Every structure is written in structure tokens, then in C-alpha cells.
Amino acid sequence: MIRIAVWNVNSIRARLPLVLKWLAESRPDIALLQETKCEDAAFPTLEVGDVGYNVAVAGQKTYNGVAVLSKRPIDEVAAHRLPGDETDQQARYIEALTGGIRVASIYLPNGNPVGTEKYDYKLAWMTRLHHHVKTLLATEDTFVLGGDYNVAPEDADVHDPRAWEADALCRPETRAAWRRIVCLGLTDAYRALNPEPGRYSWWDYRGSAWSRDQGLRIDHLLLSPQATDRLTAAGIDRNPRGWEKPSDHTPVWCELTE
DNA sequence: ATGGTGGTTCGACCA
């Protein structure tokens, strides 16, 4: 069995004690992290290595930043940015080969406020991702694309759909772009095995959203057909959201047969 | 209608 987890940590340096605690307790084979918010040289590679993980990072100062952690050797880093626009320097995509699986850690743009260049950037980024997924599918590889997609795919993924309907995470154009990607042949691992509504991966720091369970499901693991054939379990680990000094996201995981 | 919280970094931006 191989377990793959995704977690937006909202700064790896601010969150390092919790990340190390989480790695020690849940021992995922592969961890895909987002919003590391540090340049590559500042990533705590030694600390993460001490608890048994190899590291590949695509970082930048202050914003964004993604990482792949793996118990197995990382054999190749296939990309440090999302292909399709060499002028886009935002560190939101890293793709690596480890343990016989191709994985990507994705931090898809938030896109708020709608009607600005930020929303245009989000939709353009999703179009680029669509193109790249088509390329990946043509390889017939086993791959898992995990990340903070900043997309709540359906109303069932939102605590108050009416309050969120105009938000960039829920807009019809956003959800259409999401479906366009998934319908190429990917599987939303959590949703495939857990049909019940009202299960979230992110809760705003503001307004006591966590204690009221007012969240959204925006962190996802998208599986290729070959990975889906091996999918046995998926879940959301709510515990880290309740820890002291938490990220506003909590880990989502899936298990594949060896 | 506003602001609520947190990270980065020290004013303002992002989420």
C-alpha cells in the first residue's frame, strides 16, 4: 500500500513543528505540500530529511511555493513550473517521479476578486493545466495530481453555497474549468469513495469557521485511470486543523495498492 | 456594509 497526502501548510517555516508531528504520526509515503512561502535554500530540507523524507521543492519568496516529500528516492523532477507559459514565474507546480508514480504538487490560483486580472489568471492557469493533463494522459502513466485547487467542485463541497456562489472558488466558470479537466479521465479520489456532502478541507481563520464547521472542500487528489485502478481508500484528516497554531487547511489522503 | 484572522515582513498584499 502506498499512501499519498496533500496539505496546504500556509508557510513551511511557521508550520514546521506541526508538519514534523504530522509526518511522524501519519507517515504518508508521499506528501504534497503547498504554500511553503520560502525560497528553495530556506526550505527545512534537513529537518524533513531527519524524519525520513526526500525533498523536491519549487519555491519563491513570500508567496506560493510547492514541495514533494517522499520516503522513496525522488528519481526525477519533471517540472518546476506549470508548462505552457514561460513568462509565468509563480511557484505553483512541481512534478516528480518517485516510487514508480508520477506526482504533482499544485497550488492553483485563488482568483479573487472575480472580475479582475487575478480571476483571468486563474482561468488561464486552469486552461494550461487542462493542456498539460492531456499530455500526461497520453503517456498512460500512473499519476496523482494533488493540491490546493482553490475549487469547490459542487455545492455539496460548500457549507453555505448561496453565500459563496459569487466567489472565485465556486463560480460557474471555475467549476466548468474543473469539470473540463476531470472529465478528461481523472478521478477525484475523495469524492469517488465518500459520497456524503459537507466534508471540508479548508476553514477560514476568520469568524470561528473551524469551530462552526463552516468550510469548503478545495484540496484534492486527482488520479489517472491507472492510479484509479489501484485506489483503495481516501479520507480527510481533520486533526491537524484543530492543533495549536494550525494551517487553515487540513490534509487529504488516498491509498493505492503497491 | 464592514470586518473579522493569519503569514510575510514592517506597509501592504495575499488568502
Side-chain angles (χ1 to χ4, degrees), chain A residues 23-73:
Chain A
L23 289 173
E25 291 180 358
S26 74
R27 300 301 296 165
D29 295 282
I30 301 170
L32 307 169
L33 308 183
Q34 297 81 41
E35 279 206 272
T36 54
K37 293 186 175 178
C38 71
E39 293 177 303
D40 294 359
F43 194 93
T45 302
L46 294 178
E47 290 87 338
V48 170
D50 281 344
V51 296
Y53 287 88
N54 302 293
V55 174
V57 294
Q60 67 179 89
K61 195 178 164 83
T62 309
Y63 303 120
N64 308 317
V66 286
V68 174
L69 279 49
S70 179
K71 286 189 198 174
R72 315 270 184 92

Side-chain angles (χ1 to χ4, degrees), chain A residues 219-232:
Chain A
D219 301 276
H220 310 293
L221 291 150
L222 292 184
L223 276 52
S224 73
Q226 294 75 12
T228 304
D229 288 342
R230 295 165 53 182
L231 176 65
T232 56

Side-chain angles (χ1 to χ4, degrees), chain A residues 182-256:
Chain A
V182 173
C183 290
L184 288 169
L186 304 183
T187 297
D188 174 348
Y190 181 82
R191 183 52 82 213
L193 299 180
N194 301 275
E196 65 281 359
R199 302 299 156 91
Y200 311 127
S201 65
W202 171 83
W203 298 260
D204 203 312
Y205 285 124
R206 298 165 288 189
S208 307
W210 165 245
S211 61
R212 300 171 192 217
D213 196 25
Q214 297 176 339
L216 277 70
R217 191 176 71 92
I218 57 175
D219 301 276
H220 310 293
L221 291 150
L222 292 184
L223 276 52
S224 73
Q226 294 75 12
T228 304
D229 288 342
R230 295 165 53 182
L231 176 65
T232 56
I236 298 173
D237 177 7
R238 291 169 57 98
N239 290 330
R241 187 60 180 83
W243 291 346
E244 199 77 22
K245 205 173 182 292
S247 169
D248 44 352
H249 297 252
T250 214
V252 180
W253 57 270
C254 72
E255 282 184 356
L256 309 182

Side-chain angles (χ1 to χ4, degrees), chain A residues 79-93 95 106 108-109 120-136 145 177 180-181 184:
Chain A
H80 284 90
R81 293 289 187 277
L82 179 66
D85 181 358
E86 289 73 26
T87 67
D88 182 7
Q89 290 307 305
Q90 297 195 33
R92 296 178 174 277
Y93 187 94
E95 182 183 313
I106 292 176
L108 202 143
D120 296 338
Y121 174 64
K122 176 179 195 159
L123 294 179
W125 208 92
M126 294 181 82
T127 297
R128 281 165 60 198
L129 183 59
H130 177 264
H131 288 314
H132 188 55
V133 167
K134 279 203 282 191
T135 304
L136 292 178
L145 310 178
R180 200 161 159 257
I181 294 165
L184 288 169

